[in-house]
Amino acid sequence: MSTSRSKKGTRGSAAIVTPLPLPISQRKVYNHPPAHVDPTRIPEDIYREISLHLSDADCLRFAVASKTVYRAVGPRPRYVVVKSSAQVTALAAFIAEHGSALISLGVHIPTDDTTLDAICEILARATSLRHLVVAATTLQHLAAQGSLGLSRLITLTLHDASEEILKDLRLPASLRSLRLVRCNSSMTWNDLAEAIQGPSGLVDLSLQDCDFEEPEDISGGEVTRSGGPFVFQSLTTLRAISTVLPESLLLFSNMFPRITTLVMKHSLFPFEDESLISRDSHSFQTLALSELDECLEIPWPVYNLRVLAMREKDLQCALDSVSTDDLTGLLIRARRMVPTIWTSNIVNDVTEIRWFEFESIEKDFTTTITLFTRLFEEQSPYVSECMPLMMLSIAAPRRRNDHSFSATFLINAAAALPNLRYIALADPKEVPTALMEDLSGDRAPWRWWRVIRGERTELKEIPAWEGERVRRFFREADREKVDAFDENFHALR
């Protein structure tokens, strides 16, 4: 993207837009002789660290660059997905001869006895495995052989797991994220909590296409089984995808006491026993909603709301599900920007938000920015004075050979939003439809501007890494900290 100063007179035209110098790729390059570095003098750990940031294909090319690199890295697969019995057999034979460097393994095939033995052989040798997708019966078979190591496993996806299998597995203590797919047995929520008590560091639980029954004993504010409570003490993130959460709010609040991030897709929120809980007993830092079948009733405060609005009703349904007075920030990912999102939903429904992020899935960057420019230009001064918005972030897919936008957008945004401090823009190749595929950080080509107020408003471009620190602050801070931004956020330069 490149800005161009607009000569057309607009409200706030006294603003000054100061861009960064040209990116390195666009600067004039002088032909200096390259410095010679002896590859044998570079520690092998450096080569291994570099390889962690490369795809398998690039890592293989890197490995054959020299004998030194080959010795440190080696052309061994690290991120593997197998989809046939032949691929499993070939991978097992390769690892048996050359050893395993596997970091991630996905097994997406039905298993027979021959394939099961080969997969177990791979897993027994994959001592450095960090991420695994596999059928639950495969790990159960490995555990029965006494060779279930996986001591470095961080994320695990299990398909078709039962209560018996989960108890037999004794999940590794290193596990941080567990995803269960198709747990449609007779397990209750209490059975699930008891079955995965092992990993004390488990912080992320994802349930997809699962169906759990309510436990029989919900009394005195405790969920009990065999005389003892079972709760997910360490969990901070819960993802429910085509999975109905417990019907009882009391059960939910006691089983998930530390959940700060809740992701719901095709799911329902608890609705019973509301009289037995207090509004101050729980809160969500982040709530992500997509493809809801009906509006929810969230009784606790929600500070940051993320919405996938693929249908016309999705955004309003999400806003009706929470108390908008509590919202500090809002992220909307939609097919396209339409004027009513701003003029109705933002201006009227969420009047207290401090940050707003909009991401267009289908409409291109130039069209999206042009629409925002017009909306800001037409906004009444009275509406502007009432808006406390401090950070604005917009992303939309780029159109071929079009990386520019008019600086008029920046000027109009600063004029229409008198409390605005930061603006972020990005035009990635595409915007994903999966709501939790975040575009922040280096996942999109972000450009950031800081709005400096004074006798004249200056829009100063800042490095993307500094802008992303600002984004993280806004997403993680409560309203009190956001309103005291200057005291709580410390720039690094």
Side-chain angles (χ1 to χ4, degrees), residues 127-203:
T127 56
S128 298
L129 199 64
R130 303 290 197 276
H131 313 284
L132 176 62
V133 179
V134 72
T137 51
T138 301
L139 285 194
Q140 185 186 35
H141 183 75
L142 193 63
Q145 296 178 344
S147 54
L148 181 60
L150 305 178
S151 59
R152 299 184 180 182
L153 201 64
I154 297 173
T155 66
L156 173 62
T157 298
L158 287 178
H159 289 255
D160 305 303
S162 65
E163 178 187 2
E164 178 185 0
I165 291 177
L166 288 175
K167 287 183 176 180
D168 289 345
L169 286 183
R170 296 178 184 174
L171 299 172
S174 60
L175 198 65
R176 297 293 176 266
S177 176
L178 175 63
R179 179 175 173 231
L180 300 177
V181 182
R182 293 189 304 273
C183 289
N184 295 321
S185 62
S186 58
M187 267 194 292
T188 67
W189 284 97
N190 208 26
D191 293 333
L192 176 65
E194 183 181 6
I196 59 176
Q197 284 295 306
S200 58
L202 186 67
V203 295

Side-chain angles (χ1 to χ4, degrees), residues 12 24 92 99 116 125 134 149 193 197 208 224 230 263 282 284 288 304 361 408 434 443 449-450 458 477 488:
I24 293 175
L116 185 62
R125 296 175 182 271
V134 72
Q197 284 295 306
Q208 181 174 345
T224 63
F230 290 98
V263 180
H282 208 97
F284 296 113
N304 301 329
I361 296 173
T408 305
R443 301 174 189 88
W449 286 264
R450 181 160 62 95
E458 180 182 357
N488 292 303

Side-chain angles (χ1 to χ4, degrees), residues 188 190 215-230 251:
T188 67
N190 208 26
E216 295 180 1
D217 186 6
I218 304 176
S219 60
E222 289 189 345
V223 182
T224 63
R225 180 189 172 114
S226 302
F230 290 98
L251 173 60

Side-chain angles (χ1 to χ4, degrees), residues 264-392:
M264 300 183 66
K265 179 180 179 180
H266 281 310
S267 185
L268 294 175
F269 194 77
F271 57 88
E272 294 182 353
D273 303 325
E274 185 170 358
S275 61
L276 300 178
I277 63 160
S278 67
R279 189 177 187 275
D280 299 329
S281 64
H282 208 97
S283 65
F284 296 113
Q285 181 67 25
T286 301
L287 175 65
L289 302 177
S290 57
E291 300 179 50
L292 296 179
D293 297 318
E294 59 184 69
C295 297
L296 311 176
E297 293 184 15
I298 310 293
W300 298 300
V302 174
Y303 302 123
N304 301 329
L305 179 63
R306 300 185 184 187
V307 183
L308 178 66
M310 300 297 286
R311 301 168 297 182
E312 186 175 347
K313 68 173 186 177
D314 287 340
L315 178 55
Q316 192 59 55
C317 185
L319 294 176
D320 290 342
S321 299
V322 302
S323 171
T324 56
D325 292 338
D326 297 316
L327 288 179
T328 300
L330 174 64
L331 183 151
I332 299 174
R333 186 173 291 178
R335 293 184 184 277
R336 63 185 62 84
M337 178 64 186
V338 294
T340 53
I341 290 179
W342 183 263
T343 58
S344 178
N345 299 119
I346 303 301
V347 171
N348 295 326
D349 294 341
V350 287
T351 56
E352 295 299 319
I353 60 172
R354 275 30 176 196
W355 59 267
F356 174 57
E357 301 183 37
F358 180 82
E359 297 169 354
S360 170
I361 296 173
E362 297 177 356
K363 218 57 170 171
D364 64 88
F365 179 82
T366 302
T367 303
T368 302
I369 290 299
T370 301
L371 177 56
F372 270 104
T373 303
R374 179 171 60 82
L375 289 171
F376 291 146
E377 187 172 15
E378 296 174 352
Q379 184 166 286
S380 71
Y382 173 76
V383 170
S384 297
E385 291 175 4
C386 299
M387 296 194 68
L389 204 64
M390 299 173 67
M391 187 195 80
L392 174 66

